[in-house]
Structure formats: structure tokens, C-alpha cells
Amino acid sequence: MRPFTYSLAADAPEAVRQATVPADAHVRAPVQLMGGGTTLLDLMKLDVMRPDAVIDITPLATARYGNIEASATELRLGALVRMSDAAEDHAVVTDYPVIAQSLGLAASQQLRNMARLGGNALQRTRCSYFRDPSYEQCNKRNPGSGCAAIDGFNRLHAVLGTSEHCIASYPGDFAQALIALDATVEVLGAGGARSIRFADLHRLPGSTPHIETSLAPGEMITAYVVPAGPWTRRSAYIKVRDRESYAFALASVAVALDMDGTMVRSARIALGGVATVPWRAAEAEALLAGKPLDEAAAHKAADAAFADAKTHEHNAYKVPLGKATLVRALLTTQAMEL
Ligand SMILES: Cc1cc2nc3c(=O)[nH]c(=O)nc-3n(C[C@H](O)[C@H](O)[C@H](O)COP(=O)(O)OP(=O)(O)OC[C@H]3O[C@@H](n4cnc5c(N)ncnc54)[C@H](O)[C@@H]3O)c2cc1C
Ligand code: SF4
């Protein structure tokens, strides 16, 4: 590992000020805020991320950034809440099961005890070419160098939202629940606080896969806010992986349904494991709205969700797998007893 300085943040605006660095920050990212460190330190050990300075923000986990607050109108999750605490919180488990399940099915108990919600959404891809600097070709790690995965081993890679420059899949689980539930993200930057739609946080790779989010350098996620609605209780997260624990999704689906008997008033659907960013399946949602939900309707919605899928040599299986996961998620969520 390369030498770096480590400091404990005593004050959020000061941490953000220190992390606010100029222009090339997205590529070199010389100052990194650190939550649980389970992504950051991993990638530093692999020599993929090479910050000069690491600012540990966990001391800021006081009321403002470290609490879970549920009211009649919204759920507010502080960015420094541990994944395990949010996954086991009574209000989250009862009223926002898709959030609790997405967190509970992510990583291992040890990692969930360490990792925080802010860092979770910002975890980097598990593309093996990205994680191994001995491969020069990786536009995400080394802009302009090409993409080793497109003609390489791409079994875990995305089929939606890809570009000719990067096909890396977004690996997290929690983000699917947040995008399905129309969450917003509160952030603090050098210019003060702002709020953005979670759907605007992650950027499609396009021709600049190294720029992964819409955050400015140094901006710190302080909280996620999820609006309460009749759909949040009828919600679920289904995750399919190579083994039943401690593995990233090959395909996953977050669903929240507002039902009137067997009729769908509105459906909220997000896909994981199959896309370059947390993926809202808007076409599938539109097909389901205002109609009865049965197996045939679920299959039609799944076909619509993957209509634009683009496969590569080893990942074509993700289309039927993703469709089957979506059908299962819809029928499971519809059948929930509230
Ligand atoms: C073996 C293994 C298996 C895993 N399996 C899964 C899985 O199945 N599903 C899943 O979802 N995840 C999985 N993970 C990923 C894990 O969930 C993430 O590493 C973790 O959530 C990141 O949180 P952290 O607090 O440790 O982030 P850190 O490592 O501290 O930070 C990650 C990044 O976010 C930035 N950052 C951190 N907090 C903030 C903030 N508040 N504001 C702005 N920037 C911030 C850091 O600068 C860094 O760039 C796995 C990880 C490992 C190691
Ligand atoms: S898929 Fe993206 S992350 Fe993986 S090698 Fe290609 S450019 Fe790099």
C-alpha cells in the first residue's frame, strides 16, 4: 500500500472543505472521505485507489448523520448509519421491507456491521479488470485505455445501460430499493447543503465511465430521504446469486406495489446486477399500471424491462435470469400479507 495520511473528522463542513479538490479529482481522487472503509481500503490495498489523504467521517455519526427517523410522511436514514442497524430497524423492517431486505441480503454480517449507508451507495464495480491494475485497459480506472471486459470474461457484466466504453455492472443492493422508492439524497459540499434525486446520483458510463456520480469532489452524502406511501409496506427485494450468502447479485429486483385488490394502481421496479447503474424499469411499470397483476402480465412487464438489453459473450444468461427474477419479485410482492 502507498503512504497516505489518515485523520478523524471532527466537523462535517471542515471535512468537506479538506476533501474539495480541483479538476482531475474524479480520476485521481486524492482525498477520500471514509465510512466503514470496506470498499475504500480494499481498493487501496489492490492499488486501484491511491488517495494521498483519507478522512474518517465515522466520528460524525451523531444525531444528524447517524440516526434513523420514521414519520408519517418519510423515512430519513443518516449516511453514517451502519448497514446492519438499518436492516434490523423495526420501522424499516415493517414499513419499508424492500430496504431492510436489500441491506440484509448484502455482503456479510461482519461487513454490514462496519459499512455505512453513505459509502454503500458509492461502492465501486466488481469488474475484475477494474480491480486488477496489471490490466492496463480499463476506461474506468485508466481513462482512454479501452475496455478489457468487452472482449474478455464478462459473465458478471451489465446488459442494460452499457456503452462501447464500459459494461461494468453496478454491484450494490440498497441502491435498487432507494431508486424504486423515489428517494432523495442530501449532500453537503463546500457551497453548502443540497438535495438531489437518488435517480440522478449515478451516471451512465457513456464515454466517461470514470465519472460515476453527479457528486462534486468533496461532497459528502449526509442522508437518504424516502417518501412514505401506500406502496412502501407492500415491497420486497429478491436477489439471485451464485451462492446463498456473501455474494453479489447476478440479478436482483426491488419492487413496491400500490394495489387495489388484484389491480395495480402503481408499480415501482428497480433492477440490480444487470445494469451499469441502479436501474429503474420504467417501461415495465407503465405496462402494469391500472391492470390486474397475474403471471402473464408479470411476464409481459419482464419482457419490456429487458427489451433494450445488449449482451456479450458470457452474460447473455442475465436476460432470462433477470426476467425470471422480476416475475418472481412481482408475484411475491403481490401475494404479501399486510
Ligand atoms: C467481500 C464483500 C462482499 C460484499 N457483498 C456485497 C453485496 O452483496 N451487496 C452490496 O450491496 N454490497 C456488498 N459489498 C460492498 C459493501 O456493502 C460496501 O463495501 C459498503 O457498503 C461500503 O460502505 P463503507 O461505509 O465501508 O464505504 P467506504 O469504503 O468507507 O467508502 C466507499 C466510497 O464511498 C465514499 N464515501 C463513504 N461515505 C461517504 C459519504 N457519506 N459521502 C460521500 N462519500 C462517501 C468513500 O470516499 C469511498 O470512495 C461487499 C463488500 C465486500 C468486501
Ligand atoms: S467494463 Fe468498465 S470497469 Fe470493466 S474493464 Fe471495461 S471499462 Fe473497466
Side-chain angles (χ1 to χ4, degrees), residues 7 66 94 122 271 318:
S7 58
T94 309
L122 300 179
L271 310 178
K318 284 201 172 183

Side-chain angles (χ1 to χ4, degrees), residues 14 16 28 71 89 108-109 136 146 155 159 199 204 229 269 274:
E14 176 56 18
V16 163
R28 223 178 68 69
S71 73
D89 180 84
S108 64
Q109 185 68 43
E136 197 194 327
R155 176 176 178 269
V159 296
L204 287 167
I269 304 170
V274 294

Side-chain angles (χ1 to χ4, degrees), residues 23-105:
D24 77 337
H26 283 297
V27 180
R28 223 178 68 69
V31 185
Q32 287 283 305
L33 301 175
M34 185 177 87
T38 63
T39 284
L40 179 62
L41 297 182
D42 215 7
L43 291 173
M44 286 170 68
K45 287 180 202 162
L46 293 171
D47 208 24
V48 172
M49 293 183 76
R50 302 168 180 179
D52 302 324
V54 169
I55 304 172
D56 185 343
I57 55 175
T58 54
L60 305 174
T62 53
R64 185 149 182 72
Y65 306 132
N67 276 6
I68 299 174
E69 292 157 30
S71 73
T73 55
E74 65 183 32
L75 172 72
R76 191 172 187 285
L77 299 165
L80 290 169
V81 170
R82 289 187 170 84
M83 287 171 73
S84 51
D85 289 338
E88 291 154 23
D89 180 84
H90 180 70
V92 180
V93 170
T94 309
D95 296 335
Y96 300 83
V98 66
I99 293 180
Q101 291 166 19
S102 72
L103 288 165
L105 289 169

Side-chain angles (χ1 to χ4, degrees), residues 113-178:
N113 288 344
M114 195 71 199
R116 314 293 171 126
L117 299 182
N120 183 280
L122 300 179
Q123 63 182 281
R124 315 290 303 274
T125 181
R126 308 303 283 193
C127 171
S128 50
Y129 301 103
F130 170 76
R131 290 173 64 85
D132 183 349
S134 67
Y135 287 95
E136 197 194 327
Q137 270 195 310
C138 173
N139 287 324
K140 195 182 273 299
R141 177 169 40 75
N142 190 9
S145 62
C147 171
I150 288 178
D151 293 319
F153 186 62
N154 43 46
R155 176 176 178 269
L156 301 179
H157 289 67
V159 296
L160 293 167
T162 57
S163 74
E164 60 185 288
H165 302 280
C166 181
I167 58 168
S169 59
Y170 174 79
D173 293 297
F174 176 49
Q176 273 62 251
L178 292 174

